[in-house]
Amino acid sequence: QVQLVESGGGLVQAGGSLRLSCAASGRTFSTYTIGWFRQAPGKEREFVAGISWSGSRTDYSDSVKGRFTISRDNTKSTVYLQMNSLKPEDTAVYYCAARRAVIATHELDYGSWGQGTQVTVSS
């Protein structure tokens, strides 16, 4: 299984930007679809964005479409989540996850998870 480590979280004002990174170990990273999820206090974990193993296909939740961009660099075994025009409701712990199939939007479809990185957006 691939091991994942998120970074790049922090505190930002509303309207600001952050770029999260999901770094993976293992030489098979390029064969995994990667998803970003988030979990706010008292809420269920929700799908944010996903990218296919080649990067040719992406998917976004309606709440972030047009503001967030997912990308990957397989030479660096890293997936990025560029977050622009951040809103207070984007505050959550953000997780990346991996699976060996097409992009899925439910957390149970992913077998490998990182430890998460906190994103806090102040109003």
Side-chain angles (χ1 to χ4, degrees), residues 9-22:
L11 174 64
V12 64
Q13 290 187 332
S17 298
L18 282 175
R19 188 178 79 159
L20 305 183
S21 297
C22 172

Side-chain angles (χ1 to χ4, degrees), residues 47-83:
F47 174 79
V48 174
I51 189 165
S52 63
W53 66 271
S54 66
S56 62
R57 298 183 66 89
T58 58
D59 192 16
Y60 298 91
S61 67
D62 288 342
S63 61
V64 307
K65 198 171 294 183
R67 299 188 298 122
F68 291 11
T69 302
I70 189 170
S71 62
R72 69 190 296 159
D73 184 344
N74 286 340
T75 66
K76 297 181 179 179
S77 297
T78 302
V79 168
Y80 304 98
L81 186 67
Q82 178 67 44
M83 306 187 297

